[in-house]
Amino acid sequence: MEYIVETKHLTKSFGKEKAVSNLEMKIPKGEIYGFLGPNGAGKTTTIRMLLGLMRPTSGSVQLFGKDMKNSRIEILKNVGSLVENPSYYPHLTARENLEASRKILNVPKKRIDEVLKQVRLHGVANKKVKGFSLGMKQRLGIAAAMLHQPELLILDEPTNGLDPSGIIEMRQLIQSLPEEYGMTVLISSHLLSEIDQMATRVGVVSKGKMIFQDSIETMRKFAQASIQVRVNDNEAAWRSLLANGQKADIGEESVTLQAEDDEQVAGSIQYLVQQGFSIYRVQEEKRSLENIFLEMTREEQAG
Amino acid sequence: MFSVINSEWFKLRKSKVLFLLLVAPLVGLFIGLANSFIEIEGINAWYEKLIMMNFTYATLFLPLISGVFAGVICRYEHQEGGWKQLLALPVTRGKVFLSKYLVLILLMLAMQLMYLVSIYLVGMIEGITDPFPMDIVWKSILGGWVATLPLIALQLWVSIAFKSFAAPFAINVIFTLPTILVINSERFGPYYPWGQPFLMMNISGSTEDVFFVPWDQILMVIGGSFLLFFIGGYLYFQRKAV
Ligand SMILES: Nc1ncnc2c1ncn2[C@@H]1O[C@H](COP(=O)(O)OP(=O)(O)OP(=O)(O)O)[C@@H](O)[C@H]1O
Ligand SMILES: [Mg+2]
């Protein structure tokens, strides 16, 4: 497969501490990649290395199949970015801020008005940015990242500081990018709920290590409901189910059925009754994506 | 390359520090007019003015203000993440460094020219009737400028390295203040980079070469410190993590 972003054994140490450790990130073209991890997981450090702002301690970064070390300029022509807190020149207006970048990017002047409209800042285009609210600065940062219609957009916590309607607008904007412009988007967050409605792929990082990387559907499968059954003798019931060829797990106080549909659940319960077990409880347990994400990062931290 | 310089100039122009350029002629006027002068028979009156004005201007003002400009051109990059925004654009760090440096030395050149105007004004106001020594004035104006080239390179390096505005300025003051003492030393004076603006603008210096300082000293002290500071800053910037 052709990847827009591919890192190999990417590692960054600060002193003895490894902020990013052997990270293998793979982002296919046209995906919206949600880059998730708790505070201090190494998301921003990874993104800095993707943009060549910081040198990796070891490992490599390839964007569009080109190596960051040798083809930095060529690569960056097609990348737009927003790293950590929004960056801006406080003494310039919103329009002037974009103009300072535009001169270097060499794109037509009309792009400035286009991106200002896209992020709904055209009303305050001539105001000094130092007077902007955090959300307005964040929008300006996104506008700057889109100025040259890059093939890859890298946004580090772009919803930081946005109000709910701003978050929804942002989500709609980002969702439309792959379809309309064929862009690939990398968006980091520490909240799964924030990106699960737009991401098509997810990478979960914890303590600098990638602990999950797959499509959002695969992640959702983890979230499917499971049926827990409590009987008079859980262990015997579990063995009996396994002997009958049904999938089940044993927990501390119950047996968990891995049933795909209602019929299977009914069949398993009927079987247990026929075997003479007393059934005390049958309950459904739903795990939200957020829970899965929390469990993933918690396991990693405990281990 | 031109687009990067253009962008630098745009950011600097909007920062309203260009009025600092006006400080140069004002300082010139002030020094020039504050000191009464006695006309000495047989000597061009301009010479006396030049010696007096250039002394304060070149030992103190020129090195200090060059540092201030270097600080300003980096300040708005440090303030709110400007560096990461700028360096994530398709531009090499080398070009960014060079652009900032070029803009700075052009500003200093403009400032020297304004100082030249102030010299002329002082003479007019005081009613000097002797012929204006154009060649000597040019020598010291351009010479002073050349002497600041290494200082600007160092100040740019330090200003990139420190997030605060005060630290590079303090360093500049620490090196500039001893100048008055060092230039009086025959042994160290010629080798002290911060003393070079004065020596280059000192019209009573040696007049055998193009400037008021012998060529070998220009090449060795000014050229040498320029290479050291410029390459040092350039390499530092290449490796700086933002
Ligand atoms: N310049 C630096 N010097 C030393 N340590 C650093 C530096 N930058 C980051 N770190 C450390 O690297 C680790 C990862 O930081 P990073 O900013 O990448 O996390 P993050 O995933 O972006 O977190 P957040 O969600 O809070 O933004 C942290 O432990 C941090 O302390
Ligand atoms: Mg971060």
Side-chain angles (χ1 to χ4, degrees), chain A residues 21 23-25 33 35 203-206 208-213:
Chain A
S21 168
L23 193 94
E24 309 260 327
M25 178 186 268
Y33 184 96
F35 191 31
V204 180
V205 66
S206 174
K209 295 199 181 95
M210 190 73 95
I211 54 175
F212 175 89
Q213 182 171 235

Side-chain angles (χ1 to χ4, degrees), chain A residues 122-172:
Chain A
H122 47 291
V124 289
N126 296 321
K127 282 210 177 117
K128 285 238 161 59
V129 176
K130 71 178 148 207
F132 276 19
S133 70
L134 178 58
M136 287 157 81
K137 289 171 187 162
Q138 198 72 270
R139 284 161 202 251
L140 178 65
I142 292 165
M146 297 196 307
L147 200 55
H148 51 307
Q149 292 174 302
E151 286 172 43
L152 171 66
L153 196 57
I154 297 181
L155 304 173
D156 190 11
E157 309 204 12
T159 49
N160 206 349
L162 292 185
D163 52 24
S165 74
I167 292 180
I168 293 170
E169 273 172 33
M170 181 72 46
R171 196 177 284 156
Q172 286 167 347

Side-chain angles (χ1 to χ4, degrees), chain A residues 40 42-45 84 156-157 188:
Chain A
K43 302 181 296 293
T44 302
T45 307
E84 221 161 23
D156 190 11
E157 309 204 12
S188 87

